[in-house]
mmCIF file of all heavy atoms in Angstrom:
data_model
loop_
_atom_site.group_PDB
_atom_site.id
_atom_site.type_symbol
_atom_site.label_atom_id
_atom_site.label_comp_id
_atom_site.label_asym_id
_atom_site.label_seq_id
_atom_site.Cartn_x
_atom_site.Cartn_y
_atom_site.Cartn_z
ATOM 1 N N VAL A 157 41.155 -59.945 -10.957
ATOM 2 C CA VAL A 157 40.040 -60.028 -10.017
ATOM 3 C C VAL A 157 38.815 -60.631 -10.701
ATOM 4 O O VAL A 157 38.101 -61.439 -10.104
ATOM 5 C CB VAL A 157 39.732 -58.653 -9.388
ATOM 6 C CG1 VAL A 157 38.439 -58.685 -8.601
ATOM 7 C CG2 VAL A 157 40.888 -58.227 -8.486
ATOM 8 N N GLN A 158 38.571 -60.276 -11.939
ATOM 9 C CA GLN A 158 37.446 -60.878 -12.659
ATOM 10 C C GLN A 158 37.602 -62.395 -12.766
ATOM 11 O O GLN A 158 36.637 -63.142 -12.601
ATOM 12 C CB GLN A 158 37.289 -60.252 -14.045
ATOM 13 C CG GLN A 158 36.677 -58.867 -13.983
ATOM 14 C CD GLN A 158 36.624 -58.179 -15.330
ATOM 15 O OE1 GLN A 158 37.515 -58.333 -16.159
ATOM 16 N NE2 GLN A 158 35.587 -57.402 -15.541
ATOM 17 N N GLU A 159 38.822 -62.862 -13.011
ATOM 18 C CA GLU A 159 39.073 -64.304 -13.084
ATOM 19 C C GLU A 159 38.843 -64.963 -11.726
ATOM 20 O O GLU A 159 38.257 -66.048 -11.649
ATOM 21 C CB GLU A 159 40.496 -64.565 -13.567
ATOM 22 C CG GLU A 159 40.721 -64.192 -15.017
ATOM 23 C CD GLU A 159 42.188 -64.190 -15.417
ATOM 24 O OE1 GLU A 159 43.042 -64.654 -14.621
ATOM 25 O OE2 GLU A 159 42.483 -63.719 -16.524
ATOM 26 N N ILE A 160 39.283 -64.322 -10.662
ATOM 27 C CA ILE A 160 39.093 -64.867 -9.310
ATOM 28 C C ILE A 160 37.609 -64.935 -8.977
ATOM 29 O O ILE A 160 37.116 -65.946 -8.474
ATOM 30 C CB ILE A 160 39.868 -64.019 -8.279
ATOM 31 C CG1 ILE A 160 41.371 -64.202 -8.482
ATOM 32 C CG2 ILE A 160 39.455 -64.375 -6.849
ATOM 33 C CD1 ILE A 160 42.229 -63.173 -7.785
ATOM 34 N N VAL A 161 36.883 -63.868 -9.272
ATOM 35 C CA VAL A 161 35.445 -63.844 -8.993
ATOM 36 C C VAL A 161 34.741 -64.930 -9.809
ATOM 37 O O VAL A 161 33.858 -65.627 -9.298
ATOM 38 C CB VAL A 161 34.851 -62.440 -9.275
ATOM 39 C CG1 VAL A 161 33.333 -62.475 -9.308
ATOM 40 C CG2 VAL A 161 35.341 -61.453 -8.219
ATOM 41 N N ALA A 162 35.123 -65.114 -11.059
ATOM 42 C CA ALA A 162 34.512 -66.157 -11.896
ATOM 43 C C ALA A 162 34.728 -67.538 -11.271
ATOM 44 O O ALA A 162 33.790 -68.349 -11.229
ATOM 45 C CB ALA A 162 35.085 -66.106 -13.312
ATOM 46 N N ARG A 163 35.929 -67.792 -10.757
ATOM 47 C CA ARG A 163 36.218 -69.093 -10.116
ATOM 48 C C ARG A 163 35.411 -69.287 -8.839
ATOM 49 O O ARG A 163 35.096 -70.403 -8.466
ATOM 50 C CB ARG A 163 37.706 -69.204 -9.786
ATOM 51 C CG ARG A 163 38.593 -69.478 -10.969
ATOM 52 C CD ARG A 163 39.982 -69.945 -10.554
ATOM 53 N NE ARG A 163 40.625 -69.113 -9.564
ATOM 54 C CZ ARG A 163 41.467 -68.106 -9.833
ATOM 55 N NH1 ARG A 163 41.739 -67.792 -11.085
ATOM 56 N NH2 ARG A 163 42.031 -67.415 -8.869
ATOM 57 N N LYS A 164 35.087 -68.202 -8.151
ATOM 58 C CA LYS A 164 34.410 -68.302 -6.858
ATOM 59 C C LYS A 164 32.883 -68.183 -6.959
ATOM 60 O O LYS A 164 32.219 -68.091 -5.942
ATOM 61 C CB LYS A 164 34.958 -67.251 -5.898
ATOM 62 C CG LYS A 164 36.405 -67.499 -5.515
ATOM 63 C CD LYS A 164 36.859 -66.527 -4.459
ATOM 64 C CE LYS A 164 38.213 -66.861 -3.931
ATOM 65 N NZ LYS A 164 38.230 -68.015 -3.060
ATOM 66 N N GLY A 165 32.356 -68.144 -8.170
ATOM 67 C CA GLY A 165 30.899 -68.121 -8.306
ATOM 68 C C GLY A 165 30.355 -67.045 -9.215
ATOM 69 O O GLY A 165 29.151 -66.993 -9.463
ATOM 70 N N GLY A 166 31.199 -66.157 -9.691
ATOM 71 C CA GLY A 166 30.793 -65.140 -10.657
ATOM 72 C C GLY A 166 29.591 -64.320 -10.221
ATOM 73 O O GLY A 166 29.567 -63.792 -9.103
ATOM 74 N N PRO A 167 28.579 -64.214 -11.080
ATOM 75 C CA PRO A 167 27.415 -63.383 -10.769
ATOM 76 C C PRO A 167 26.710 -63.783 -9.468
ATOM 77 O O PRO A 167 26.194 -62.930 -8.766
ATOM 78 C CB PRO A 167 26.503 -63.585 -11.984
ATOM 79 C CG PRO A 167 27.433 -63.940 -13.097
ATOM 80 C CD PRO A 167 28.522 -64.753 -12.455
ATOM 81 N N THR A 168 26.708 -65.067 -9.147
ATOM 82 C CA THR A 168 26.069 -65.504 -7.899
ATOM 83 C C THR A 168 26.815 -64.934 -6.692
ATOM 84 O O THR A 168 26.199 -64.452 -5.738
ATOM 85 C CB THR A 168 26.028 -67.047 -7.833
ATOM 86 O OG1 THR A 168 25.321 -67.536 -8.976
ATOM 87 C CG2 THR A 168 25.356 -67.529 -6.563
ATOM 88 N N LEU A 169 28.136 -64.981 -6.748
ATOM 89 C CA LEU A 169 28.953 -64.410 -5.673
ATOM 90 C C LEU A 169 28.695 -62.907 -5.551
ATOM 91 O O LEU A 169 28.470 -62.387 -4.448
ATOM 92 C CB LEU A 169 30.442 -64.653 -5.945
ATOM 93 C CG LEU A 169 31.421 -63.941 -5.010
ATOM 94 C CD1 LEU A 169 31.397 -64.581 -3.630
ATOM 95 C CD2 LEU A 169 32.822 -63.965 -5.594
ATOM 96 N N LEU A 170 28.706 -62.212 -6.684
ATOM 97 C CA LEU A 170 28.513 -60.763 -6.673
ATOM 98 C C LEU A 170 27.112 -60.381 -6.197
ATOM 99 O O LEU A 170 26.956 -59.401 -5.461
ATOM 100 C CB LEU A 170 28.776 -60.186 -8.065
ATOM 101 C CG LEU A 170 30.226 -60.280 -8.545
ATOM 102 C CD1 LEU A 170 30.316 -59.936 -10.020
ATOM 103 C CD2 LEU A 170 31.139 -59.403 -7.711
#
Side-chain angles (χ1 to χ4, degrees):
V157 170
Q158 285 175 324
E159 291 169 10
I160 291 165
V161 167
R163 284 195 310 266
K164 293 186 172 287
T168 302
L169 172 72
L170 293 169

